Amino acid sequence: MSDAGHLHLCAAADVAEGMIRRVSAQGYEPLAVCRIDGRVHLFADTCSHGMASLSEGEIEEGQIFCPFHGGAFDVVTGMPTERPCTLPIAVYQAIERDGDLYVAARG
Amino acid sequence: MGGGSDRIAIVGAGQAGGRAAVALRRAGYAGEILLFGSEALLPYERPPLSKAVLLGAEQAGSALVHSADDYREAEVVLRLSSRVARIDPAARQVELADGETFAWSRLILATGVRPRRLPMVSRDAVSYLRDHEDAERLKDRLSRAQGRLAIVGAGFIGLEVAASARCLGWDVTVVEQAPACLSRVMPSPSAALLAGLHRKSGVDVRCGVRIARADDRAGGHRLSFDDGSEINADLVVVGIGSEPEMGLAVAAGLSCGDGIIVEEDCRTDHPDIFAIGDVACAPNRWAGRRLRLESWDNAERQAERVACAVMGLPLPSDLPPWFWTDQYDWNVQMIGLPSHGDKLAVREGDAPGQSIHGYYRDDRLIAAILFNSGRDRRALTRLIAEGGAIAPPDFVDLRQPLRVAA
């Protein structure tokens, strides 16, 4: 599926259950991808509160906890769930196909 | 009276005021909501002012409490650049500096604090840091050319400015009249760790010295101390604490002490006037007395609390107070209110710079200070809120989870 409409993120096997990692795609801010109950979630890697990388944080109960201040976001909606985070982060649709993860190209 | 029969006026458009306005609507308030702020900006977050803003990573006032859309959706009427001159509890109205009056059925005071002034120096000779203009001015000054910065006061603001200025290449001296840094906010073993971080970063930290004289000199300032020492600085920043902005409340005859006196539901001694945020002196079960807390978290929580109180909803749970400070690449968080007599237990982290100071009172963990350990905050908050039943040997043992013993 390496067509012009989709950008490769990483191998699906690189995101095991409960894991999170940082990925990049042209035209996007730094991204983080994680897997919860088999489903892949893709969102902005930079915390909306402070300059911290969410991919260094921990996943618990469907939320990503920022390693810096300990705030959190819902990985599905990007909405803040724990203070001091009060602004949402961007979430994107990750596509899993043939053992790889993709995101739609930005046009 | 106009809309005063069902109208809430909020005086003060900071973290507490902005948050309360939207929280009231989301809690179901159907009347009019008016938010008065003396600054021209939408309510913004203050924590970045001494950190990201000074470092040039963020514009002052750009981190908003709510977006303009949020206020529009919540139908909050914003009256920015409007200084309230008087509140009249009997006539139930607020009067602006230009004479315009607004009726209200309920009033929320969220007027915040102002920096305490250093009496022996003129306002122009030194910088204070409270609002976005202060921060922009200080940032411009710090980014223009490096020089010698003297900071008076080793509290959170003073030390955060010290860290930012060091990162920008300034020579920094911090002077504090108390025998140690941060002595009003945390016990000495924890404060010493932060003082050490500053010394290691090249800050000259001098405690136990009092300013005797301040002289403006050509292009700079000279501070003379009671021990005979002197320093010359190109710029002086003063961070010696704050005073509650309670003039309106005092003039209106509301009960005031160190702040506007309120009950658990943020109500003053007038049944329809509330006070929240930095200006409110509220019963605090973690302190065992009334206390005024100057923190982001307290502003957030009291905003939520007052919305519940107005709507007759159950008040949200009373979590231990929480503060954080960022200095250099360190994040320090404090949960609860430790005091100097509490017993310390240290849980070392597994990375350099990581540790948790647990403070015990009567064999209970009552407070914790987290150094670069933000991910343990939730567990510790829960632990302390539930009574802190974790024995010191378990607390310091990294193999043991941070939770109440089964």
Side-chain angles (χ1 to χ4, degrees), chain B residues 29-44:
Chain B
Y29 183 72
E32 258 189 279
I33 302 171
L34 259 62
L35 178 59
F36 296 94
S38 54
E39 293 181 67
L41 302 189
L42 287 174
Y44 56 87

Side-chain angles (χ1 to χ4, degrees), chain A residues 49 51 56-58 60-61 63 65-71 82-87, chain B residues 19 45 58 64-65 296-297 300-301 304 322 324 326 329-331 333 374-375 377-378:
Chain A
H49 174 254
M51 292 299 284
E56 291 166 21
E58 275 165 18
E60 219 183 298
E61 292 167 0
Q63 301 158 76
F65 283 87
C66 177
F68 196 29
H69 293 105
E82 177 77 28
R83 286 169 175 154
C85 302
T86 54
L87 302 170
Chain B
R19 194 62 89 196
E45 305 241 350
E58 187 176 317
L64 298 178
V65 173
W296 183 92
D297 181 55
E300 288 273 308
R301 293 196 182 283
E304 230 170 65
W322 165 47
W324 83 81
D326 298 329
D329 54 351
W330 278 38
N331 167 249
Q333 308 200 25
R375 62 180 59 186
R377 173 168 59 87
R378 272 184 326 138

Side-chain angles (χ1 to χ4, degrees), chain B residues 22 28 51 88 137 182 254 272 300 329 334 363-364 367 374:
Chain B
V22 173
K51 313 169 191 106
D88 187 334
R137 216 169 344 189
L182 295 168
L254 297 175
D272 292 319
E300 288 273 308
D329 54 351
M334 183 162 83
D363 299 325
R364 296 282 178 157

Side-chain angles (χ1 to χ4, degrees), chain B residues 1-11 29 32 34 36 84 86-95 101-109 252 254 268 270-274:
Chain B
M1 287 284 290
S5 59
D6 206 3
R7 177 196 271 170
I8 293 182
I10 303 172
V11 179
Y29 183 72
E32 258 189 279
L34 259 62
F36 296 94
V84 171
R86 214 163 65 91
I87 58 173
D88 187 334
R92 290 176 185 258
Q93 57 181 28
V94 296
E95 184 182 329
T101 60
F102 297 85
W104 47 263
S105 52
R106 287 197 178 93
L107 176 67
I108 298 173
L109 298 172
L254 297 175
T268 66
H270 184 295
D272 292 319
I273 303 180
F274 302 79

Side-chain angles (χ1 to χ4, degrees), chain A residues 38-106:
Chain A
R39 294 184 67 115
V40 171
H41 303 278
L42 181 66
F43 43 86
D45 182 51
T46 305
C47 180
S48 65
H49 174 254
M51 292 299 284
S53 177
L54 293 174
S55 54
E56 291 166 21
E58 275 165 18
I59 293 167
E60 219 183 298
E61 292 167 0
Q63 301 158 76
I64 173 66
F65 283 87
C66 177
F68 196 29
H69 293 105
F73 304 91
D74 183 310
V75 298
V76 176
T77 63
M79 293 305 283
T81 55
E82 177 77 28
R83 286 169 175 154
C85 302
T86 54
L87 302 170
I89 51 169
V91 292
Y92 303 100
Q93 185 72 45
I95 301 152
E96 183 164 6
R97 196 163 300 169
D98 303 331
D100 283 292
L101 297 178
Y102 300 87
V103 65
R106 273 185 159 173

Side-chain angles (χ1 to χ4, degrees), chain A residues 24-42:
Chain A
S24 57
Q26 201 185 352
Y28 285 87
E29 69 271 46
L31 299 174
V33 61
C34 71
R35 191 186 295 274
I36 302 173
D37 298 331
R39 294 184 67 115
V40 171
H41 303 278
L42 181 66

